[in-house]
Amino acid sequence: MIQLQNIEKVYRTDTIQTLALNGINLDIEKGEFLSIMGPSGCGKSTLLNIMGLLDAPSKGSIRIDDQSTINMKDKELAKFRNQKLGFIFQSYHLINDLQVLDNVELPLLYRDSTAKQRRELATEALEKVGLSNRIKHFPKQLSGGQRQRVAIARAIVGRPEIILADEPTGNLDSAMGNEIMDILLQLNRNDGTTIVMVTHDENMAQKTHRLMRLFDGSQVQ
Ligand code: ADP
Ligand code: ADP
């Protein structure tokens, strides 16, 4: 589903050059749940951003769902990303002055859909994460775990084949973290969604199919 070959990423500023990823090879199968661990600064977010087509590698190739993305133009890339990928972040990234339902509808605005279809899909996604009773709330009126569930609903509303999650439980206590993890496990098991998750939590990582450890931009396990 996701194939990375010899991925290198160099960040250059005027004075420093950082080799953030140093020859990553990775083949993630459809329906797989992979976790990525490693110390701060080892390249986890960089790797996830490259898989998510948010950032281009300095070297190497990427295939997603058997399509090479290397020659895609920005507009094509944005469309591809919108259709194939859902993103979840540690700090939720919700729009605070939009109600829950409107937050969840956002990814659908870039597709051909009617207001009614958007409403139906968003309602369905919120049911899946157990938040049907909060659709008119604003993010500030929700607990952290609830906000992350809204973010998951937004990530799945367009029915992406892949979810990329960057420390989705990092801001939550263990009870709420476990709730979020259970939702991700369900999406993986029931819908066959491929999931890649960066985490600092060994217990969460143990629940996934495979664990990749990064150190200093290289894969160590
Ligand atoms: P992690 O997610 O594992 O904490 P990152 O992928 O964020 O690591 O960062 C990997 C390395 O690349 C770090 O040394 C970091 O300082 C550097 N880095 C990340 N983003 C940038 C950037 N935009 N410009 C320059 N250096 C960066
Ligand atoms: P938690 O203990 O899980 O963090 P809170 O005690 O903050 O939850 O909130 C309990 C419930 O009340 C939550 O389900 C949340 O949706 C709701 N809630 C919290 N703050 C507000 C608010 N300002 N307006 C409306 N509902 C709220």
Side-chain angles (χ1 to χ4, degrees), residues 131 133-134 137-147 149 173 176 179:
L131 270 190
N133 53 350
R134 292 289 185 279
H137 280 56
F138 287 92
K140 285 209 168 74
Q141 299 168 325
L142 301 176
S143 70
Q146 290 172 330
R147 286 185 209 190
R149 284 195 269 156
D173 65 29
M176 283 200 206
E179 266 177 44

Side-chain angles (χ1 to χ4, degrees), residues 71-161:
N71 292 319
M72 286 188 187
K73 301 217 166 58
D74 284 355
K75 215 174 153 186
E76 200 183 348
L77 208 55
K79 190 173 174 201
F80 188 78
R81 195 189 296 132
N82 183 260
Q83 284 176 347
K84 299 274 178 199
L85 304 165
F87 295 90
I88 304 169
F89 306 93
Q90 178 174 5
S91 50
Y92 326 126
H93 289 203
L94 300 174
I95 312 272
N96 282 328
D97 50 13
L98 289 183
Q99 292 176 351
V100 163
L101 193 61
D102 295 323
N103 263 286
V104 174
E105 284 183 21
L106 281 176
L108 302 174
L109 293 176
Y110 303 99
R111 301 186 179 194
D112 291 328
S113 58
T114 63
K116 184 163 174 275
Q117 287 168 333
R118 287 198 290 274
R119 193 121 303 207
E120 279 172 8
L121 287 170
T123 306
E124 207 177 296
L126 283 161
E127 273 165 19
K128 240 184 195 159
V129 300
L131 270 190
S132 323
N133 53 350
R134 292 289 185 279
I135 65 173
K136 297 275 181 202
H137 280 56
F138 287 92
K140 285 209 168 74
Q141 299 168 325
L142 301 176
S143 70
Q146 290 172 330
R147 286 185 209 190
Q148 192 59 299
R149 284 195 269 156
V150 176
I152 294 176
R154 181 188 55 191
I156 63 173
V157 72
R159 307 203 171 135
E161 290 165 77

